[in-house]
Amino acid sequence: MAIQYKSVEEVQAMRLAGIIVGETLELIRQSIAVGVTTKKLDAIAEAHIRARGAIPSFMGYHGFPATICASINDEIVHGIPGDRVIGDGDVVSIDCGAIFAGWHGDAAFTVGVGRVDSKDQAMIDTCQASLWAGIAAARIGGHVSDIGHAVERSIKSHGRYGILQEYTGHGIGTEMHQEPHVANYGKPGRGPELVPGLALAVEPMITRGSHRNRTLSDEWTVVSLDHSRAAHFEETFTLMPDGRPYVLTSLDGGRSALAQLGVEAYAD
Ligand code: MG
Ligand code: MG
């Protein structure tokens, strides 16, 4: 499938899907607590997405049975919500996607619940920082691999972490997963040129140990082979014609996080 380039009007339409995803993740962030099941978080997410007139994009995607992915501790991504109860000190990753008027948004965050191990918190902070470093590295005329290069450099500047190789970010638009792949490592200057209207989901996935992983017998949940804990952050963004990044799934468009890196985000 060819890369899909969006007009400014189409980007604004995608922004509506992105806001719904951002709102949903914010609701879940407020609802995550010791004693809450991941099934409960899933119900909160589905209710909000549908109340906003959108469709949960994960549900039915290659048979996935829920609105969110909920991945705990050594589960890296694609965990299926269920009866598991969130415990004190758990590291919980939530991934969510929605479709509004045919356009997709896709975003994720990780949070430590209750009394969080300081090394888990450092991993979570490292993963989040690398996501924003990746987006901040995107320039018109640059290349897609500039993002992954910046993600990898940021992670490595914070310590030794496993960076997943088999799972990457992706183009996004009228489908959730489009060309190109956005790896979380590698040399800069490779891949398609970064131009306005190329919308990308950037999503670093790291562990406190090895990057090696396997998929559980549920055929979805990806866990670290060494049982090390993991983090995952994701935002959907594009560059605008004036060169500024516009983070479609971030409620403030990415302004506060990017300002900390000296990058001005597109104003809504
Ligand atoms: Mg996602
Ligand atoms: Mg994604």
Side-chain angles (χ1 to χ4, degrees), residues 58 95-96 106-108 170 176 203 232 234:
F58 294 4
D95 195 347
C96 181
D106 186 9
H170 48 91
M176 178 162 59
E203 49 179 318
H232 174 214
E234 177 176 25

Side-chain angles (χ1 to χ4, degrees), residues 14-80:
M14 271 187 83
R15 171 65 166 154
L16 301 179
I19 285 174
I20 294 167
V21 171
E23 288 172 351
T24 305
L25 288 179
E26 192 51 44
L27 262 180
I28 294 175
R29 190 184 277 281
Q30 293 162 14
S31 308
I32 287 183
V34 174
V36 174
T37 64
T38 52
K39 193 168 67 180
K40 171 74 177 167
L41 299 176
D42 189 66
I44 291 168
E46 181 175 5
H48 183 72
I49 289 169
R50 294 201 190 280
R52 294 284 264 122
I55 300 165
S57 52
F58 294 4
M59 195 172 292
Y61 183 84
H62 295 283
F64 190 78
T67 293
I68 60 171
C69 297
S71 309
I72 299 179
N73 296 337
D74 64 337
E75 299 172 352
I76 307 168
V77 288
H78 303 165
I80 300 172

